[in-house]
Amino acid sequence: MRRVERSFELYQKQIKNKLSSSVSLIHYSTDLWTSPSRRSVLAICAQWVDAEMDKETS
C-alpha cells in the first residue's frame, strides 16, 4: 500500500496536467477488490486522446 501511495504522490500532478489538456472525452473504468491482507483497493483507469496522440493519428 505504501508503494501505491508513493506512486500516487509522484505522478498526481503529471496526470492532472495530461487530463486537463485532453482533446477528447475522458473515459473511466474501475475495479474494486480486497487484498490478501484484507485491505480494500480501488483502481481507476482513464483513457483519453491528448494533443500528441492526435497529431500521430492525423
Side-chain angles (χ1 to χ4, degrees):
M1 292 302 293
R2 289 182 188 161
R3 185 182 222 175
V4 171
E5 290 172 0
R6 282 190 301 246
S7 291
F8 172 77
E9 292 168 2
L10 178 65
Y11 294 109
Q12 181 181 13
K13 287 182 183 178
Q14 293 175 25
I15 292 171
K16 279 185 177 181
N17 289 336
K18 286 190 176 281
L19 289 173
S20 67
S21 65
S22 172
V23 296
S24 71
L25 294 175
I26 301 168
H27 302 273
Y28 295 98
S29 60
T30 61
D31 193 9
L32 180 64
W33 69 94
T34 304
S35 72
S37 60
R38 306 192 50 78
R39 291 203 176 215
S40 296
V41 181
L42 171 64
I44 303 172
C45 298
Q47 296 179 324
W48 69 94
V49 175
D50 62 8
E52 186 176 313
M53 178 58 93
D54 194 34
K55 289 178 189 175
E56 290 178 14
T57 59
S58 296

